[in-house]
Amino acid sequence: METYLADRLDIADLMTGWIHRDNGEWDQLRALFHPEATIEITWFKGKATDFVNGSMKMGTSDFKAKHLIALPIVTFHGTKAITETNAIIVGLNTTLGLGCEGHCRFYDHIEKRDGVWKILERHAIYDMASFTFPHGIVELDESAIQKYPIEYAPLAYLLQQSGFPVTSIYPTKGSDLEKTIKAEGQTWLKA
């Protein structure tokens, strides 16, 4: 039975490579993905290359983010794997005096090509989120917050107020959408 120990270490490095996004290291962030990779997170749905370009724009805005990434759970099938990785998203808009903390899981299809693991498809599944107020309570638009599922409403609201609209519905813990994404992932893994 193959243990995949070296692969597990490489994949852990791949997942924690998300720090390149927070640090504005755009070439290193691009290197985490296969050329045709896709990504779906609160403010973006599409090709990973376009996501990096959008992240560059976000990096010059009033919205700042920090991601704390845990070690992934990995399921292998040859040169393919599914990973599920806990992440904490800390967001802040200093101009608004408003922040948030969101807990999610990255659910990734990854593939080893030419000896290197990279992300082929990334989904964020949202577990819970809350607002933070670095300088005291600020007024919030409750009707705007209620447009989003509670599991990521504070993050979506902060993104929206920062100029990054959230226009789709994303999977939340235990939702039918999460179940569908995971079922499709298992089908992909075993194909």
Side-chain angles (χ1 to χ4, degrees), residues 37-113:
T38 59
I39 184 167
E40 293 184 10
I41 60 170
T42 46
W43 63 276
F44 186 86
K45 183 187 264 190
K47 294 185 69 63
T49 54
D50 295 332
F51 165 76
V52 175
N53 295 336
S55 294
M56 291 170 72
K57 179 183 172 190
M58 184 180 278
T60 63
S61 75
D62 291 334
F63 179 82
K64 305 300 177 210
K66 177 74 175 171
H67 297 77
L68 306 171
I69 309 293
L71 290 174
I73 295 173
V74 185
T75 305
F76 290 99
H77 190 265
T79 58
K80 294 174 18 177
I82 293 286
T83 61
E84 191 165 0
T85 310
N86 277 316
I88 300 172
I89 307 158
V90 180
L92 177 65
N93 184 314
T94 54
T95 302
L96 299 174
L98 180 64
C100 72
E101 182 177 292
H103 296 257
C104 73
R105 288 164 284 134
F106 289 133
Y107 187 82
D108 298 316
H109 301 193
I110 61 172
E111 203 167 47
K112 189 176 190 179
R113 298 180 189 167

Side-chain angles (χ1 to χ4, degrees), residues 100-186:
C100 72
E101 182 177 292
H103 296 257
C104 73
R105 288 164 284 134
F106 289 133
Y107 187 82
D108 298 316
H109 301 193
I110 61 172
E111 203 167 47
K112 189 176 190 179
R113 298 180 189 167
D114 300 321
V116 179
W117 289 98
K118 292 188 179 188
I119 301 167
L120 184 61
E121 186 175 314
R122 168 162 280 185
H123 296 271
I125 301 168
Y126 296 92
D127 295 326
M128 67 183 79
S130 59
F131 287 106
T132 60
F133 302 92
H135 300 293
I137 302 298
V138 297
E139 190 173 329
L140 303 173
D141 180 346
E142 275 192 55
S143 63
I145 296 167
Q146 292 174 357
K147 292 189 323 187
Y148 310 107
I150 194 169
E151 292 86 350
Y152 61 87
L155 175 60
Y157 179 81
L158 183 58
L159 285 164
Q160 183 81 35
Q161 296 301 308
S162 300
F164 299 93
V166 177
T167 57
S168 296
I169 299 297
Y170 293 92
T172 57
K173 186 174 185 175
S175 68
D176 288 342
L177 190 49
E178 176 185 13
K179 292 171 188 167
T180 298
I181 287 168
K182 287 186 170 184
E184 289 171 353
Q186 290 303 309

